[in-house]
Amino acid sequence: MASLIQDRLTTDQDLLLMQEGMLMRKVRSKNWKKLRYFRLQNDGMTVWHARQAGGSEKPTFSISDVETVRKGHDSELLRSLAEEFPLEQGFTIVFHGRRPNLDLVANSIEEAQNWMRGLQLLVDLVTSMDHKERLDQWLSDLFQRGDKNQDGRMTFEEVRRLLHLMNVEMDQEYAFGLFQAADMSRSGTLEGEEFVHFYQALTKRTEVHEMFENFSDDGQKLTLLEFVDFLREEQKEKERASDLALELIDRYEPSDSGKLRHVLSLDGFLSYLCSKDGDIFNPACLPIYQDMTQPLSHYFINSSHNTYLVGDQLCGQSSVEGYIRALKRGCRCVEVDVWDGPNGEPMVYHGHTLTSRILFKDVVAAVKQYAFQASEYPLILSLENHCTWEQQQTMVRHLTEILGEQLLNTTLDGLLPIQLPSPEELKGKILVKGKKLGTLEDDLEDEEEESESQLERQLGSELPLESPSEPETQELSRLSKDKKSKVVMCPLFCPPICCHIVTQASNINLGSLLLPEQKSRSILCPALSALVVYLKSVSFHSFTHSKENYHFYEISSFSETKAKSLIKEAGNEFVQHNAWQLSRVYPSGLRTDSSNYNPQEFWNVGCQMVAMNMQTAGLEMDICDGLFRQNGGCGYVLKPDFLRDTQSSFNPERPLSPFKAQTLLVQVISGQQLPKVNNTKEKSIVDPLVRVEIYGIRTDTTCQETNYVENNGFNPYWGQTLCFQVLVPELAVLRFVVKDYDWKSRNDFIGQYTLPWTCMKQGYRHIHLLSKDGTSLHPASIFVYICIRKEEEESESEF
């Protein structure tokens, strides 16, 4: 495939023009628009830029970092500049992870199309690569980096420099020996294939070779029976080992004769171990594999907090891009804070703060376009409605006209249900969560009679919107009275924490802030109320009150502080509550930097919607991404049976498990091609260590780490075994983290991979590392051996 890219570079007209370079306008905002000269490099994998043609060039991005290319019409920023530039001349480069989009405007429609077609072609080629092709491409990129004068060959000095870039600290005499052995032409330099031979000698996996010889009778090959034994005894493939062995030999053995004889060579064995079949994540858990026909309350649901924000909670940017990113990563519950806007159009933003504002109808349009791209299962719109009657009617019009048939506005069969519907039944539907007038039973009465009675009720009493009663607002009010919090109350009645931080941080004159007009009471529009079917928001008083007064279709929201308190005080009641009713947990108002809590604590009691600030990478989002990596990434994960039982006696604070306790042995063997922590320090080599973390119930949450290996990020060897005892593995999530040891300060992050215990394969496995942002660090990996043992005796008590 790498050669195919090279072939395309010399034949494809768009790619030829991109290699010549083009002057385009880079756009960051309405006020920041600058001309830059962009050029595709000769490797076909990187784009560089300069201030002008012929100027000093700098790397801009790698093709492997690009997710897709969008037309100018699909760019929120470029649409706002439509009066300055024709949208047809603009396009957007969307990157994996949380890297901001790159908006560009070409000088003509034709030039824009050249770049859009060319970039998308390269992205498609890279996406379709298998493991070997990706490795070939990585080697090609490596050669380009090492060949400093770009003459197509590398001297030993260039190779020495490249070794440092590759995190290799090696004896110069030994390195020169490898260099001479690879220099078949005796030219004193390495060209393409010679460099490949040098790399193969450099990356010889001694530990894998020793393993291979242990399982092979002659040390040259694994016979079919030997490979079956290996799969059954070491990889724990059990009864499927025989059929699987034939499949794997056919898939990974490079020689045709080996395939015919049903044997596996060392190269084939290594290819298998490095492939998705040798991955720690069980491939059976990648597609939809769980029962999707149970009530919504039986699932963990991938949920976002203040989805419109792509920065902090006080001054951050509100953007439709927040919804697009959340939906594309499988999020199934997004939050929409809606306020009165100018010209009768509702706006979405974080009220009483300095965050920017976006149109509600633009949010709804983005939701329609991206709602079911990553998952076909139901999407929940969590509406925080702060609008007047008139603008609520506008909200209803946008929701019904834009979403059309996708919007669920009545029960599935028009009859009164006895439990929440399932994700399977709600496929392709968008549900509204919010305040509601009356009950679902009222809605299903005679339509004409209902409309009259509801209007009478509405005119007779005023139902406040979510803003006065929303727990998030209550929490901020509490903070204003708490002397320890040292907040100041704004004369304009903003949430006090916001005012305190803004004034302390930037000395902004609060009196000059343009804030929405304060309204003492607002009336809920019946048309908007009618769109709330299965997800009626209600205030939480107590678990007893909920059991006696609430219906299965009513949902309560909890601040993280309140939820933590309830877990400690009444963990089992919380579990039972969540077995039949939905709960949503949201971050504390003190998290103005958009930091996150650990969601595991709330999953332990069965809370379904644990809302995360998805714009913020880190440990907490790794745990969230790890759980939802399974089941097709559809955003719904079936809870363990003891969290689905309304009579369950399970309490995560005092667990008494009926299951056998399990022992996890993790032998951390070696690492491969670990990236540098700081690419600006060419001569620095990492000192890597591996940390294994387990998150679950409190007694299962723990971590251990290996010793560090000095000056070797290329092929470090640890050979250390870590041992863990786990009581409730059904709730456990494992995180493997590689760090760079630093005796002077905190160890630096190199890479991580997080997955549920229930999706972990045993045996010899590679763990392919991800960046802090969740993007691939290919070919970086660690090689481990996983063994799970169950204790003989069972616990005396049951749930």
Side-chain angles (χ1 to χ4, degrees):
M1 182 62 71
S3 61
L4 180 55
I5 288 180
Q6 295 300 321
D7 291 343
R8 291 296 185 97
L9 288 174
T10 59
T11 58
D12 186 273
Q13 195 60 37
D14 292 325
L15 298 184
L16 288 169
L17 289 170
M18 290 168 65
Q19 290 173 83
E20 291 178 11
M22 193 175 294
L23 199 63
M24 291 186 281
R25 203 171 296 274
K26 180 179 177 181
V27 183
R28 284 185 181 168
S29 67
K30 287 185 177 181
N31 301 318
W32 198 102
K33 304 177 285 286
K34 297 188 178 180
L35 285 172
R36 293 289 184 266
Y37 185 78
F38 290 88
R39 187 170 70 85
L40 176 67
Q41 299 299 292
N42 296 333
D43 61 1
M45 285 296 294
T46 50
V47 173
W48 290 41
H49 77 274
R51 291 182 180 273
Q52 58 191 17
S56 176
E57 292 186 323
K58 296 179 182 178
T60 307
F61 61 87
S62 168
I63 298 298
S64 58
D65 294 334
V66 178
E67 179 184 319
T68 190
V69 184
R70 292 186 201 148
K71 296 178 181 178
H73 289 277
D74 295 327
S75 166
E76 186 180 4
L77 176 56
L78 294 181
R79 281 201 306 270
S80 70
L81 298 169
E83 293 182 2
E84 292 184 53
F85 312 108
L87 285 174
E88 293 78 9
Q89 290 178 210
F91 60 96
T92 302
I93 299 170
V94 182
F95 298 100
H96 293 292
R98 295 171 178 81
R99 181 174 173 176
N101 296 345
L102 176 59
D103 288 290
L104 298 173
V105 178
N107 292 317
S108 69
I109 296 174
E110 185 179 1
E111 288 181 352
Q113 290 176 341
N114 289 146
W115 273 78
M116 282 191 285
R117 285 194 303 262
L119 285 171
Q120 195 60 57
L121 170 64
L122 293 173
V123 169
D124 292 342
L125 288 173
V126 169
T127 304
S128 64
M129 289 180 182
D130 61 22
H131 175 77
K132 184 180 182 305
E133 290 164 341
R134 290 175 70 196
L135 186 58
D136 289 345
Q137 185 61 56
W138 183 76
L139 278 173
S140 175
D141 297 345
L142 210 56
F143 188 86
Q144 293 285 339
R145 289 173 65 192
D147 184 13
K148 203 164 187 180
N149 61 2
Q150 297 294 297
D151 63 353
R153 60 188 66 193
M154 291 177 64
T155 64
F156 182 62
E157 281 306 308
E158 287 178 319
V159 167
R160 284 184 61 202
R161 174 180 170 272
L162 181 62
L163 289 176
H164 278 284
L165 291 174
M166 294 165 67
N167 252 334
V168 181
E169 180 74 23
M170 184 177 287
D171 177 75
Q172 185 169 330
E173 190 173 326
Y174 177 69
F176 188 62
L178 294 179
F179 179 88
Q180 286 183 312
D183 182 16
M184 307 287 190
S185 62
R186 299 290 180 261
S187 62
T189 61
L190 299 183
E191 299 184 33
E193 283 304 310
E194 292 174 328
F195 177 72
V196 172
H197 289 304
F198 175 77
Y199 172 81
Q200 288 172 342
L202 195 66
T203 56
K204 185 178 179 181
R205 297 282 298 275
T206 306
E207 79 282 17
V208 174
H209 200 163
E210 290 175 357
M211 269 178 57
F212 184 80
E213 290 182 333
N214 286 338
F215 297 111
S216 167
D217 187 47
D218 64 3
Q220 301 298 311
K221 63 184 180 303
L222 286 177
T223 65
L224 181 59
L225 286 177
E226 287 171 340
F227 192 37
V228 168
D229 285 344
F230 172 77
L231 292 176
R232 183 183 293 119
E233 301 302 322
E234 301 297 333
Q235 305 299 77
K236 310 300 181 189
E237 297 293 357
K238 299 177 182 175
E239 64 278 353
R240 63 189 295 259
S242 297
D243 292 337
L244 184 61
L246 287 168
E247 288 178 29
L248 295 176
I249 289 173
D250 190 56
R251 195 173 297 157
Y252 299 112
E253 172 53 40
S255 72
D256 291 336
S257 63
K259 289 178 181 178
L260 286 172
R261 292 185 296 133
H262 300 315
V263 298
L264 197 63
S265 64
L266 175 60
D267 287 343
F269 184 63
L270 182 58
S271 292
Y272 153 65
L273 289 175
C274 293
S275 73
K276 66 180 188 305
D277 291 299
D279 195 278
I280 192 170
F281 196 98
N282 188 344
C285 297
L286 287 173
I288 304 289
Y289 73 100
Q290 295 181 331
D291 177 8
M292 302 302 289
T293 63
Q294 300 198 29
L296 284 181
S297 55
H298 287 187
Y299 298 85
F300 296 122
I301 303 173
N302 197 348
S303 303
S304 165
H305 172 248
N306 288 355
T307 315
Y308 47 88
L309 290 178
V310 293
D312 65 62
Q313 304 286 312
L314 292 179
C315 308
Q317 178 189 359
S318 300
S319 172
V320 169
E321 195 64 37
Y323 291 93
I324 296 173
R325 290 180 183 178
L327 293 171
K328 291 186 79 169
R329 65 189 299 151
C331 181
R332 295 290 84 193
C333 177
V334 295
E335 187 173 10
V336 192
D337 283 342
V338 197
W339 301 78
D340 279 1
N343 306 316
E345 284 293 343
M347 305 293 289
V348 174
Y349 63 99
H350 200 191
H352 310 305
T353 67
L354 299 175
T355 60
S356 60
R357 307 175 182 197
I358 51 178
L359 287 168
F360 175 72
K361 64 180 179 181
D362 287 349
V363 170
V364 179
V367 165
K368 178 179 176 60
Q369 183 176 353
Y370 292 94
F372 303 107
Q373 284 194 8
S375 171
E376 59 185 345
Y377 290 101
L379 173 67
I380 296 166
L381 290 185
S382 181
L383 279 189
E384 298 252 356
N385 170 24
H386 307 267
C387 293
T388 55
W389 179 293
E390 294 76 18
Q391 295 214 10
Q392 288 179 60
Q393 290 178 313
T394 304
M395 287 171 60
V396 172
R397 188 175 76 251
H398 290 325
L399 286 168
T400 53
E401 290 180 359
I402 295 173
L403 298 181
E405 291 296 313
Q406 291 180 336
L407 182 65
L408 186 81
N409 54 19
T410 185
T411 56
L412 290 173
D413 53 10
L415 302 175
L416 183 65
I418 58 172
Q419 64 179 14
L420 286 167
S422 70
E424 187 67 30
E425 291 173 305
L426 292 168
K427 267 185 179 178
K429 290 296 182 182
I430 297 174
L431 285 65
V432 175
K433 168 192 165 293
K435 289 289 184 181
K436 184 175 183 64
L437 296 165
T439 65
L440 184 58
E441 290 81 352
D442 294 336
D443 283 357
L444 296 173
E445 291 177 5
D446 178 75
E447 186 177 345
E448 189 174 328
E449 183 179 311
E450 169 60 15
S451 62
E452 292 177 3
S453 63
Q454 197 169 64
L455 183 59
E456 289 172 2
R457 287 197 304 273
Q458 181 60 43
L459 295 174
S461 65
E462 295 179 345
L463 179 68
L465 300 182
E466 287 200 67
S467 48
S469 59
E470 184 65 18
E472 213 162 334
T473 307
Q474 293 175 359
E475 184 182 17
L476 290 172
S477 299
R478 178 185 57 76
L479 288 169
S480 68
K481 299 172 185 176
D482 186 355
K483 292 180 181 179
K484 293 181 181 179
S485 63
K486 297 181 181 179
V487 297
V488 294
M489 178 60 81
C490 169
L492 298 178
F493 306 103
C494 303
I497 183 63
C498 302
C499 300
H500 171 68
I501 293 175
V502 172
T503 52
Q504 294 296 314
S506 51
N507 296 318
I508 294 173
N509 178 5
L510 291 171
S512 66
L513 293 181
L514 296 175
L515 297 173
E517 180 185 347
Q518 299 296 312
K519 304 194 185 303
S520 57
R521 302 286 280 179
S522 297
I523 301 173
L524 181 59
C525 170
L528 185 57
S529 168
L531 296 183
V532 177
V533 182
Y534 293 115
L535 299 165
K536 176 184 176 181
S537 296
V538 293
S539 298
F540 177 81
H541 300 286
S542 70
F543 292 122
T544 301
H545 178 271
S546 295
K547 193 177 292 185
E548 293 176 353
N549 296 279
Y550 286 157
H551 303 83
F552 63 85
Y553 55 81
E554 292 171 317
I555 173 173
S556 298
S557 290
F558 303 85
S559 72
E560 63 173 288
T561 308
K562 178 65 175 176
K564 285 180 180 180
S565 174
L566 289 170
I567 291 169
K568 288 181 180 178
E569 294 169 6
N572 175 245
E573 287 184 88
F574 214 163
V575 168
Q576 294 182 357
H577 174 89
N578 288 326
W580 70 279
Q581 194 174 32
L582 289 166
S583 292
R584 176 178 174 270
V585 182
Y586 60 86
S588 163
L590 289 170
R591 295 186 182 275
T592 54
D593 58 351
S594 294
S595 61
N596 279 306
Y597 43 42
N598 183 348
Q600 188 69 51
E601 191 172 355
F602 310 111
W603 291 334
N604 289 343
V605 290
C607 293
Q608 299 87 354
M609 301 181 207
V610 182
M612 305 291 287
N613 288 314
M614 291 194 166
Q615 69 271 39
T616 306
L619 161 65
E620 297 80 10
M621 273 309 303
D622 290 344
I623 295 171
C624 183
D625 290 342
L627 177 76
F628 290 107
R629 184 165 281 120
Q630 63 183 307
N631 209 30
C634 74
Y636 286 85
V637 169
L638 188 64
K639 298 194 290 187
D641 54 5
F642 53 84
L643 293 182
R644 309 195 306 262
D645 180 4
T646 55
Q647 304 300 315
S648 174
S649 59
F650 177 70
N651 183 343
E653 294 296 295
R654 291 177 292 278
L656 296 172
S657 173
F659 307 116
K660 297 176 181 178
Q662 296 189 17
T663 299
L664 171 66
L665 298 175
V666 179
Q667 183 186 10
V668 181
I669 302 172
S670 61
Q672 296 76 42
Q673 287 98 66
L674 304 178
K676 282 180 174 289
V677 172
N678 189 342
N679 282 316
T680 60
K681 295 181 180 178
E682 188 176 299
K683 293 186 178 179
S684 67
I685 306 291
V686 299
D687 303 323
L689 60 85
V690 176
R691 180 181 172 95
V692 180
E693 303 168 348
I694 297 180
Y695 298 93
I697 62 170
R698 187 162 44 84
T699 53
D700 286 345
T701 300
T702 185
C703 65
Q704 294 181 44
E705 64 186 34
T706 67
N707 298 328
Y708 68 90
V709 175
E710 192 171 357
N711 282 342
N712 188 351
F714 190 71
N715 55 357
Y717 180 84
W718 293 281
Q720 288 181 252
T721 300
L722 311 177
C723 181
F724 303 89
Q725 290 282 335
V726 177
L727 188 61
V728 189
E730 297 88 345
L731 287 172
V733 171
L734 280 85
R735 183 172 184 252
F736 295 84
V737 196
V738 183
K739 296 198 170 187
D740 179 17
Y741 173 76
D742 190 335
W743 66 274
K744 291 181 291 187
S745 60
R746 178 185 292 183
N747 297 337
D748 293 316
F749 175 91
I750 294 177
Q752 64 84 27
Y753 188 79
T754 309
L755 77 163
W757 175 293
T758 53
C759 298
M760 180 171 57
K761 292 285 280 184
Q762 296 189 67
Y764 291 97
R765 302 290 169 183
H766 276 92
I767 300 172
H768 298 280
L769 297 176
L770 304 175
S771 69
K772 190 175 289 185
D773 220 19
T775 57
S776 172
L777 288 175
H778 179 82
S781 65
I782 54 175
F783 187 44
V784 300
Y785 179 75
I786 302 290
C787 180
I788 299 172
R789 297 175 182 165
K790 293 185 178 180
E791 299 291 337
E792 290 296 323
E793 66 279 357
E794 293 188 11
S795 176
E796 294 180 1
S797 304
E798 295 189 354
F799 289 163

